[in-house]
Amino acid sequence: MATKIAVVTDSNSGITQKQAKELQDKGHALYVLPMPFMINEETFYEDITLTQEQFYEQLAKGADVITSQPTPDSIMQLWDNL
């Protein structure tokens, strides 16, 4: 039986969803969980529903920004899929 290895990180690593997809297309098992941000009480996910540029625009506007981490549920779902 061959052993398979996957690398799981979150978007705080600096690896974008696009970079992870490109590596997956080349046969590498790299998965990036998006970091959640709450901006003015609305949830966004880094590099999924919010770009870095949009994040910094919101900061410059004085928006109420709260950062978080991937939920245990999102981590478990990814692990179960892997």
Side-chain angles (χ1 to χ4, degrees), residues 11 13-22 30 32 47 52:
S11 56
S13 68
I15 300 170
T16 66
Q17 297 294 329
K18 180 180 177 185
Q19 291 168 325
K21 176 73 171 115
E22 288 170 354
L30 175 65
V32 179
D47 210 20
Q52 283 186 349

Side-chain angles (χ1 to χ4, degrees), residues 6-82:
V7 175
V8 176
T9 188
D10 60 45
S11 56
N12 197 40
S13 68
I15 300 170
T16 66
Q17 297 294 329
K18 180 180 177 185
Q19 291 168 325
K21 176 73 171 115
E22 288 170 354
L23 288 168
Q24 289 169 5
D25 290 345
K26 293 178 181 178
H28 301 283
L30 175 65
Y31 300 87
V32 179
L33 287 163
M35 297 292 287
F37 295 93
M38 281 59 75
I39 300 176
N40 297 328
E41 299 183 20
E42 184 177 350
T43 303
F44 296 90
Y45 295 91
E46 184 175 15
D47 210 20
I48 301 290
T49 59
L50 183 74
T51 66
Q52 283 186 349
E53 293 81 13
Q54 291 168 323
F55 175 77
Y56 288 115
E57 285 172 10
Q58 292 296 323
L59 284 179
K61 291 179 186 176
D64 181 29
V65 177
I66 299 170
T67 60
S68 189
Q69 59 190 13
T71 63
D73 184 55
S74 67
I75 296 167
M76 292 305 295
Q77 284 182 23
L78 177 58
W79 286 349
D80 287 345
N81 288 337
L82 295 176

